[in-house]
Amino acid sequence: RCAACRHLRRRCPSDCIFAPYFPANDPHRFACVHKIYGSSKVGNMLQDLPVELRAEAADAICIEAECRVQDPVYGCVRMISLLQQQIHNAESQLVKARAEIAVLGSHAQELRHHVQDI
Amino acid sequence: RCAACRHLRRRCPSDCIFAPYFPANDPHRFACVHKIYGSSKVGNMLQDLPVELRAEAADAICIEAECRVQDPVYGCVRMISLLQQQIHNAESQLVKARAEIAVLGSHAQELRHHVQDI
């Protein structure tokens, strides 16, 4: 029985929608998804996708559910905010570094002219 | 009636858990959340939080649900990947800029010594 069918205390059918993405050895993965979305929503979300996209969708759904279990207010939106802050910081450092390069460049230019004049 | 009670075709009770966060003038907001999580899961998620955190939680839940409606495979995990890529790019540009500053700095130093020697 896959982790989902174990959790739901049911027989795991041969065409189980969950079995390929929720192996029995990782019960926490399904428990999070079940707590946040419920098994029928997750089953529907997977069912609505072509088979070749279901594994990636299951992974993304699990990431979102785990984030929301850990952080019931912001879920993975907190990570988006933190990453946006981090980009903002990196970009302002880049603006400063480029300004420094411009100053150093023109300073080197002046010195070069000075050397030529001598 | 709030957007949730309208969507669920029920009377909106005076202590409705959804009413403060799902105003009647924005039916799309609740429709997304209902499609992805279902109303009882969202009601429980809000109920489990202190009142002062519920508005922010409802906003984050809506962002996650809207992302997943738009992108049924990756949901808002796609945004996290894109932001991580953007940080990676900004940080490699920063490393290059700092290397350029070091080169320009030592070049200026050499020129300065050269001027002093003359």
Side-chain angles (χ1 to χ4, degrees):
Chain A
R1 284 193 303 170
C2 73
C5 292
R6 256 170 209 264
H7 192 97
L8 302 169
R9 292 163 196 274
R10 65 176 201 185
R11 198 180 57 80
C12 191
S14 61
D15 62 345
C16 175
I17 184 79
F18 301 112
Y21 320 111
F22 296 97
N25 60 5
D26 190 354
H28 176 72
R29 188 173 147 99
F30 186 77
C32 283
V33 154
H34 185 253
K35 182 176 158 61
I36 300 302
Y37 298 96
S39 54
S40 75
K41 290 283 182 192
V42 177
N44 291 344
M45 286 195 261
L46 294 175
Q47 200 82 64
D48 288 348
L49 291 170
V51 176
E52 66 275 16
L53 293 175
R54 288 181 193 167
E56 299 223 50
D59 286 344
I61 290 166
C62 289
I63 290 170
E64 287 174 42
E66 280 165 14
C67 282
R68 184 149 291 282
V69 167
Q70 278 167 32
D71 182 341
V73 179
Y74 297 102
C76 70
V77 171
R78 187 188 292 272
M79 203 190 274
I80 293 174
S81 310
L82 290 173
L83 289 171
Q84 278 169 336
Q85 186 58 47
Q86 215 176 317
I87 288 172
H88 180 77
N89 293 346
E91 279 172 354
S92 18
Q93 284 182 301
L94 201 53
V95 167
K96 274 189 209 153
R98 282 181 178 150
E100 204 177 324
I101 289 170
V103 169
L104 282 169
S106 70
H107 189 57
Q109 188 86 356
E110 273 169 37
L111 279 166
R112 229 174 283 122
H113 287 309
H114 188 59
V115 170
Q116 280 166 0
D117 291 346
I118 300 166
Chain B
R1 282 192 305 171
C2 73
C5 292
R6 256 170 208 263
H7 191 98
L8 302 169
R9 293 164 196 273
R10 64 175 200 184
R11 199 180 56 81
C12 190
S14 61
D15 62 344
C16 175
I17 184 78
F18 301 112
Y21 320 112
F22 297 97
N25 60 6
D26 190 355
H28 176 72
R29 189 173 147 97
F30 186 77
C32 283
V33 154
H34 185 254
K35 182 177 159 60
I36 300 303
Y37 297 96
S39 55
S40 75
K41 288 285 182 192
V42 177
N44 290 344
M45 287 196 260
L46 293 174
Q47 200 83 63
D48 288 348
L49 291 170
V51 177
E52 66 275 16
L53 293 175
R54 287 179 194 170
E56 299 222 49
D59 286 344
I61 289 166
C62 289
I63 290 170
E64 287 175 42
E66 280 166 13
C67 283
R68 185 149 289 283
V69 167
Q70 279 168 31
D71 181 342
V73 179
Y74 298 102
C76 69
V77 171
R78 188 188 291 272
M79 203 190 274
I80 292 174
S81 311
L82 290 173
L83 290 171
Q84 278 169 336
Q85 187 57 49
Q86 214 176 319
I87 287 172
H88 180 77
N89 292 345
E91 279 172 353
S92 17
Q93 284 182 301
L94 202 54
V95 167
K96 275 189 208 153
R98 281 181 179 149
E100 203 177 325
I101 289 169
V103 169
L104 282 169
S106 71
H107 190 56
Q109 188 86 356
E110 273 170 37
L111 278 167
R112 229 173 283 122
H113 286 310
H114 189 59
V115 170
Q116 280 168 359
D117 291 348
I118 299 165

